[in-house]
Structures are given as structure tokens and as C-alpha cells.
Amino acid sequence: MKKVFGVFGDPVEHSLSPVMHNAAFSELGMDNVYHAFRIRKDSLKEALIGAGAMGFGGVNITVPLKQEALKIVTADPLAARIGAINTVDFEDKNKIWGYNTDGLGAKHALSDAGVDIDGRKIMVLGAGGAARAISFQFANDGAELIIANRTENKAIELAEDVRSIGDARGTRISNLKELIADSDILINTTTVGMHPYTDNTIVTGDQMHPELVVFDIVYNPLETRLLKEAKSAGATSINGLMMFVYQGAEAFKIWTGVYPPIETMKNAVMEELKG
């Protein structure tokens, strides 16, 4: 019997998770299918309980539901500490388990690009679910974090949480040039610049320096306005494609016990973006 997997979000029409996971299922000869489901925050609990009751294998959780989902599931220790989940597993019939693979996805993506995290000064833009996952992962790996957010209190609260395992401070998004001048890596964890609002960016090239690594977790488009600005400043630019692929691969492994074909997943997403 075909097992159903999916992604819950609102909006979710932009998601390429179905293309990526279905390519991996096909490559491995698994009789599974993956769909996107638009779920409102006030319907999330019913949707998760219903998916489990219907025999779903698992779901991914995307914006803006990652923190809300944590309240509904039994989270593994890392996800509980992060305060957000992006992966739900229904294998246990007595509990709905939640995990967070975003941090690992980001770590693998930077590693692929030859970027080391240990000892680096990293500026994180945003304080939502993805920012929490990346901040906890990178602080644990030895980075020194500055978390900047439009709402300063959220950045400060996240930094306080992260300081339980590493070095972090929070601030509002202002004086960016000064903050970035003291940073080795800049990570955009917000949706600014995502399709269809591709002309938007928080940081411009005149605020960057050539030694900076700019990592935008947005993967649609592959080259965001932020990354174009980075190139104009002579900085290194890394798009969100491989973070997306690796976080998906970690979720795939949780659901199936099998690590999926990374190149197949990457190529499927690339083809869809080109199309």
C-alpha cells in the first residue's frame, strides 16, 4: 500500500519538497508519494492528528508553523531546546514525534562550500524557527553569534536561549554595516527575497566586505537579491539549495531509515527551478 508523506505550511505553493522527495522515492523504488498541504495555524493540531490516523508516514513543517507544531508533538531533545520542529514522524502509534533538521542542513551546506563554522563570527538575520535551529547548531559547533531581528526582543530572547550552549547576543536590525564589518559569515534566515518578492533584501552590497561569506537559506530563486549584492561586494555567496536538500535528506532518513540519494534530490530541485 502506497504510503503518503507531505509538507504542511501556509503558504506552501512555492515548496519544492514534493519534487525532491518524490525523486528520491522513485530512485530507491519506494512505493511512497509526497504532497504539499496548505494548513492554517489554527488547523494544525487537527491536521497532524488526522495525518497520523490516516497512516501518513511523516510530514515536514514549514513557515509559519514550525514553532506552533512543537506544542502539539513530542519533541526530541534537540528540537525541544530549539523550540521549533520541521519534521514529524508517525511511526510510533502512541505518540507523534517531532524533530528539527534545519541546523544540520545548514551545517552540511556550508561544509560542502568549504566553510568552517568553528571560531567564526556569524551574524544571523531573523529570529524565527529556522534562525533558532541554525543558531543552536552553530553555537554548539563553536561559532560566535550575533542575532539581528526587526523585533529586538525576539533576537535577545533567542540569544539568551542559545547562551545555554554557546556564545550569542541579540540586537535589532540596525547599524548593519558596523555589525557586518566584524562578522565572518552573514546568514539570512528570513523569507525576504523569496519568490515572488525577489527584489527585496535586508542587506546591500555597500554594507558588506570582500572577506564575508553570505549564506541565504532561500532557494527560490537560487540567486536572491542578497546574493547579487554579495557578488557586487566581492563577497562569497551561498544559496539555500543544499541546506534545503540536506534538511530534507535528514527527514527522509528519520521516516524510512534510509539515507536518500543527495544528487538525485538536488537535480530534481534544480530542474524544477529552471523550468
Side-chain angles (χ1 to χ4, degrees):
M1 181 179 175
K2 192 181 293 289
K3 183 151 285 195
V4 178
F5 297 81
V7 56
F8 288 0
D10 184 21
V12 78
E13 292 80 9
H14 68 279
S15 178
L16 297 182
S17 290
V19 169
M20 178 174 71
H21 284 283
N22 284 326
F25 287 142
S26 177
E27 175 86 4
L28 295 172
M30 293 180 169
D31 188 22
N32 299 330
V33 65
Y34 188 111
H35 295 296
F37 300 90
R38 187 170 187 177
I39 305 293
R40 299 190 314 271
K41 190 178 289 188
D42 59 5
S43 302
L44 181 59
K45 184 174 182 178
E46 290 79 5
L48 285 172
I49 293 171
M54 292 172 63
F56 275 45
V59 296
N60 288 125
I61 305 292
T62 189
V63 292
L65 307 176
K66 293 182 178 184
Q67 287 164 285
E68 185 67 24
L70 181 76
K71 304 172 186 176
I72 302 165
V73 304
T74 300
D76 86 324
L78 176 61
R81 176 171 262 179
I82 290 169
I85 65 168
N86 75 333
T87 301
V88 174
D89 183 51
F90 298 109
E91 183 67 25
D92 187 336
K93 300 307 176 186
N94 298 312
K95 291 180 181 179
I96 299 175
W97 283 93
Y99 304 87
N100 198 309
T101 66
D102 279 333
L104 275 177
K107 178 180 178 177
H108 292 326
L110 287 183
S111 179
D112 266 10
V115 178
D116 189 25
I117 297 165
D118 187 19
R120 307 298 290 277
K121 293 182 178 179
I122 300 180
M123 183 172 182
V124 177
L125 298 175
R132 293 189 67 86
I134 289 171
S135 295
F136 271 93
Q137 181 70 54
F138 287 10
N140 188 65
D141 291 334
E144 179 183 333
L145 300 177
I146 301 173
I147 301 163
N149 192 59
R150 184 176 55 184
T151 307
E152 185 177 18
N153 284 346
K154 288 186 177 180
I156 291 171
E157 288 170 7
L158 174 53
E160 287 175 352
D161 290 345
V162 172
R163 279 200 293 274
S164 65
I165 62 167
D167 190 351
R169 67 184 177 93
T171 185
R172 67 181 182 276
I173 293 181
S174 62
N175 301 319
L176 286 178
K177 187 168 185 177
E178 180 181 330
L179 292 171
I180 292 170
D182 194 40
S183 300
D184 301 308
I185 302 171
L186 173 68
I187 304 177
N188 175 44
T189 71
T190 76
T191 58
V192 174
M194 181 185 288
H195 179 80
Y197 305 107
T198 55
D199 288 333
N200 297 343
T201 184
I202 297 172
V203 183
T204 53
D206 61 303
Q207 297 170 305
M208 303 178 191
H209 56 84
E211 292 75 31
L212 188 69
V213 173
V214 181
F215 176 33
D216 195 336
I217 74 167
V218 171
Y219 63 86
N220 186 11
L222 283 174
E223 187 173 55
T224 60
R225 168 80 185 280
L226 175 66
L227 296 184
K228 290 177 182 177
E229 295 286 339
K231 285 186 177 179
S232 75
T236 299
S237 62
I238 302 171
N239 64 44
L241 174 63
M242 291 315 297
M243 174 181 165
F244 175 61
V245 171
Y246 279 120
Q247 64 78 29
E250 294 292 335
F252 191 103
K253 184 180 178 183
I254 287 169
W255 297 327
T256 67
V258 176
Y259 203 75
I262 294 296
E263 281 301 308
T264 296
M265 297 172 81
K266 173 186 173 182
N267 291 339
V269 175
M270 289 283 288
E271 283 301 313
E272 191 70 15
L273 289 172
K274 287 177 187 174

